Amino acid sequence: MSVSIDMDKTPRPTKKRKLVLDPQVSPLQLSSSTSSAAATPDNDDLESHHSGRVSPEKQMVYLEEELEHPVLYRDFGCDDEVMELDVEQLRGSVQALADGVGILGWEAEEMDALTTAESTSLGAADRARFRYSWANDLRQRSKTGTMVPVTRIHQLVQDATSYESERVHENVWNSEIHEIALAAALETSVHRTALKITTVKTARISPRDLASAELPARVVDYTLVLRPDALIASRYKSLKPLPKADSKSWNNTTSNNVRATPIAVNFETKAPNKSWTDGKPQLAVWTMSLFNRLSKFWKPSLSLPDAPQLPPTATLKIPAMPLIVAQGHDWHLMIISQGGEKTIIWQKIDIGNTRNCFDAYKLMAVLHLVLDWAQTVWRPWFCRLIEAG
């Protein structure tokens, strides 16, 4: 089965080459001669931060103060809130990789070749960091994926550096850097045939009552989805549309490219001159509407298989979920967790960047971990949910 980022309906700037996001023809192997694309009104209209008239600051206030079940933003280590165990575990795993621990996976001979100035395109700083004793762990690293070739990562870093100096439009960053980074991680993941990354830039929350009417309906840029297995495909056949929805969907949108593929992780992307914090309410609005959709599959009287019977007033416990924002070079991870009558978004871990190869490999390692989470945590949980419902 082909593995690719679904580019259906993706708004695209004019450029010299066509991206082919396929594991056999990697986009990172293509020429990087794309010229700068000037911002146009049409492009601006398609940016997700223009998806509503309410400013990001007002959206955050509304989420915290106006909802019956508020969404709160808390820094990791905050003493005001109790951190759930699954949040702690996910945070610990991500933080280790963000610190550079075990992000590389080469044999000793390969590492020697990579760090020899005469035989590699790596700069002196990268070569020195590659030699960190804690950075290379082939056995551990291979559990989630294989290494993206250095030539491809080096090209990604060069392109990103060029685009920042050229001040290209956000859509160019999306298509030439962010999508390519996501594709590289997916292609080298051990779960590449089970997952897919797709755009939702033009998707809207549907039906609209899954989110407050005070908040925008078109919010994030990309989602990681589960390719349907036998159970998901079978249950989809009998799935009914929600009231006020124009078609059936596993998700919080009826967009054709994601209706039949359950969403696992959401991504928001920004240009370097935009604030990454603008992505916080966008991810919150979109993900909370997804949680509202998931809650409609479940009734306390049914419970999940292998779980104790719950009281009628019980609410669905959703696993702690990673949320990712890319801002130009820099990538950040937050974790959203439901607890009682409120939802907490724990922030943030800087998970890598495209300024140099070592930090780009941090990003690849964390993305592999997120893909692994989607397949080994989210998929089993989602399947239990639809079995119970």
Side-chain angles (χ1 to χ4, degrees), residues 352-363:
N353 60 67
T354 50
R355 289 187 170 85
N356 60 75
C357 291
F358 189 81
D359 287 338
Y361 276 116
K362 289 181 182 179
L363 174 61

PDB file of all heavy atoms in Angstrom, residues 352-363:
ATOM      1  N   GLY A 352      12.758  20.076  18.559  1.00  0.00           N
ATOM      2  CA  GLY A 352      13.720  20.082  17.468  1.00  0.00           C
ATOM      3  C   GLY A 352      13.470  21.225  16.518  1.00  0.00           C
ATOM      4  O   GLY A 352      12.504  21.980  16.655  1.00  0.00           O
ATOM      5  N   ASN A 353      14.347  21.355  15.546  1.00  0.00           N
ATOM      6  CA  ASN A 353      14.216  22.425  14.561  1.00  0.00           C
ATOM      7  C   ASN A 353      14.969  22.045  13.296  1.00  0.00           C
ATOM      8  O   ASN A 353      15.629  20.995  13.242  1.00  0.00           O
ATOM      9  CB  ASN A 353      14.726  23.753  15.138  1.00  0.00           C
ATOM     10  CG  ASN A 353      16.194  23.685  15.540  1.00  0.00           C
ATOM     11  OD1 ASN A 353      17.076  23.559  14.689  1.00  0.00           O
ATOM     12  ND2 ASN A 353      16.470  23.760  16.834  1.00  0.00           N
ATOM     13  N   THR A 354      14.864  22.908  12.290  1.00  0.00           N
ATOM     14  CA  THR A 354      15.554  22.659  11.024  1.00  0.00           C
ATOM     15  C   THR A 354      16.682  23.657  10.807  1.00  0.00           C
ATOM     16  O   THR A 354      17.019  24.003   9.667  1.00  0.00           O
ATOM     17  CB  THR A 354      14.549  22.711   9.853  1.00  0.00           C
ATOM     18  OG1 THR A 354      13.760  23.923   9.935  1.00  0.00           O
ATOM     19  CG2 THR A 354      13.626  21.509   9.872  1.00  0.00           C
ATOM     20  N   ARG A 355      17.318  24.082  11.891  1.00  0.00           N
ATOM     21  CA  ARG A 355      18.468  24.974  11.796  1.00  0.00           C
ATOM     22  C   ARG A 355      19.778  24.213  11.619  1.00  0.00           C
ATOM     23  O   ARG A 355      20.757  24.774  11.134  1.00  0.00           O
ATOM     24  CB  ARG A 355      18.560  25.858  13.043  1.00  0.00           C
ATOM     25  CG  ARG A 355      17.478  26.912  13.130  1.00  0.00           C
ATOM     26  CD  ARG A 355      17.724  27.860  14.298  1.00  0.00           C
ATOM     27  NE  ARG A 355      16.821  28.997  14.238  1.00  0.00           N
ATOM     28  CZ  ARG A 355      15.593  28.995  14.734  1.00  0.00           C
ATOM     29  NH1 ARG A 355      15.128  27.901  15.328  1.00  0.00           N
ATOM     30  NH2 ARG A 355      14.823  30.062  14.646  1.00  0.00           N
ATOM     31  N   ASN A 356      19.806  22.968  12.053  1.00  0.00           N
ATOM     32  CA  ASN A 356      21.000  22.141  11.921  1.00  0.00           C
ATOM     33  C   ASN A 356      20.571  20.675  11.916  1.00  0.00           C
ATOM     34  O   ASN A 356      19.434  20.348  12.278  1.00  0.00           O
ATOM     35  CB  ASN A 356      21.987  22.426  13.061  1.00  0.00           C
ATOM     36  CG  ASN A 356      21.370  22.149  14.415  1.00  0.00           C
ATOM     37  OD1 ASN A 356      21.216  20.986  14.822  1.00  0.00           O
ATOM     38  ND2 ASN A 356      20.997  23.218  15.135  1.00  0.00           N
ATOM     39  N   CYS A 357      21.462  19.791  11.510  1.00  0.00           N
ATOM     40  CA  CYS A 357      21.091  18.385  11.336  1.00  0.00           C
ATOM     41  C   CYS A 357      20.842  17.681  12.657  1.00  0.00           C
ATOM     42  O   CYS A 357      19.917  16.851  12.757  1.00  0.00           O
ATOM     43  CB  CYS A 357      22.182  17.660  10.550  1.00  0.00           C
ATOM     44  SG  CYS A 357      22.289  18.177   8.823  1.00  0.00           S
ATOM     45  N   PHE A 358      21.608  17.976  13.693  1.00  0.00           N
ATOM     46  CA  PHE A 358      21.422  17.294  14.970  1.00  0.00           C
ATOM     47  C   PHE A 358      20.033  17.569  15.524  1.00  0.00           C
ATOM     48  O   PHE A 358      19.316  16.656  15.945  1.00  0.00           O
ATOM     49  CB  PHE A 358      22.494  17.730  15.971  1.00  0.00           C
ATOM     50  CG  PHE A 358      22.501  16.928  17.244  1.00  0.00           C
ATOM     51  CD1 PHE A 358      23.110  15.687  17.301  1.00  0.00           C
ATOM     52  CD2 PHE A 358      21.886  17.411  18.394  1.00  0.00           C
ATOM     53  CE1 PHE A 358      23.123  14.934  18.479  1.00  0.00           C
ATOM     54  CE2 PHE A 358      21.882  16.676  19.570  1.00  0.00           C
ATOM     55  CZ  PHE A 358      22.504  15.435  19.612  1.00  0.00           C
ATOM     56  N   ASP A 359      19.621  18.831  15.509  1.00  0.00           N
ATOM     57  CA  ASP A 359      18.300  19.171  16.035  1.00  0.00           C
ATOM     58  C   ASP A 359      17.183  18.667  15.119  1.00  0.00           C
ATOM     59  O   ASP A 359      16.078  18.378  15.590  1.00  0.00           O
ATOM     60  CB  ASP A 359      18.184  20.686  16.241  1.00  0.00           C
ATOM     61  CG  ASP A 359      18.988  21.169  17.435  1.00  0.00           C
ATOM     62  OD1 ASP A 359      19.285  20.349  18.315  1.00  0.00           O
ATOM     63  OD2 ASP A 359      19.336  22.370  17.476  1.00  0.00           O
ATOM     64  N   ALA A 360      17.463  18.552  13.813  1.00  0.00           N
ATOM     65  CA  ALA A 360      16.471  17.966  12.906  1.00  0.00           C
ATOM     66  C   ALA A 360      16.276  16.484  13.214  1.00  0.00           C
ATOM     67  O   ALA A 360      15.164  15.959  13.091  1.00  0.00           O
ATOM     68  CB  ALA A 360      16.905  18.161  11.462  1.00  0.00           C
ATOM     69  N   TYR A 361      17.342  15.801  13.631  1.00  0.00           N
ATOM     70  CA  TYR A 361      17.186  14.399  14.023  1.00  0.00           C
ATOM     71  C   TYR A 361      16.433  14.262  15.347  1.00  0.00           C
ATOM     72  O   TYR A 361      15.758  13.254  15.571  1.00  0.00           O
ATOM     73  CB  TYR A 361      18.544  13.707  14.091  1.00  0.00           C
ATOM     74  CG  TYR A 361      19.007  13.196  12.749  1.00  0.00           C
ATOM     75  CD1 TYR A 361      20.146  13.705  12.146  1.00  0.00           C
ATOM     76  CD2 TYR A 361      18.281  12.222  12.070  1.00  0.00           C
ATOM     77  CE1 TYR A 361      20.563  13.247  10.905  1.00  0.00           C
ATOM     78  CE2 TYR A 361      18.683  11.756  10.833  1.00  0.00           C
ATOM     79  CZ  TYR A 361      19.823  12.275  10.250  1.00  0.00           C
ATOM     80  OH  TYR A 361      20.218  11.813   9.013  1.00  0.00           O
ATOM     81  N   LYS A 362      16.537  15.238  16.224  1.00  0.00           N
ATOM     82  CA  LYS A 362      15.667  15.255  17.404  1.00  0.00           C
ATOM     83  C   LYS A 362      14.205  15.253  16.954  1.00  0.00           C
ATOM     84  O   LYS A 362      13.373  14.498  17.474  1.00  0.00           O
ATOM     85  CB  LYS A 362      15.914  16.510  18.259  1.00  0.00           C
ATOM     86  CG  LYS A 362      17.223  16.562  19.010  1.00  0.00           C
ATOM     87  CD  LYS A 362      17.262  17.856  19.820  1.00  0.00           C
ATOM     88  CE  LYS A 362      18.554  18.033  20.570  1.00  0.00           C
ATOM     89  NZ  LYS A 362      18.575  19.310  21.323  1.00  0.00           N
ATOM     90  N   LEU A 363      13.895  16.132  16.002  1.00  0.00           N
ATOM     91  CA  LEU A 363      12.525  16.232  15.497  1.00  0.00           C
ATOM     92  C   LEU A 363      12.066  14.909  14.907  1.00  0.00           C
ATOM     93  O   LEU A 363      10.951  14.446  15.187  1.00  0.00           O
ATOM     94  CB  LEU A 363      12.450  17.338  14.449  1.00  0.00           C
ATOM     95  CG  LEU A 363      11.125  17.480  13.705  1.00  0.00           C
ATOM     96  CD1 LEU A 363       9.992  17.794  14.670  1.00  0.00           C
ATOM     97  CD2 LEU A 363      11.237  18.560  12.624  1.00  0.00           C
TER      98      LEU A 363
END
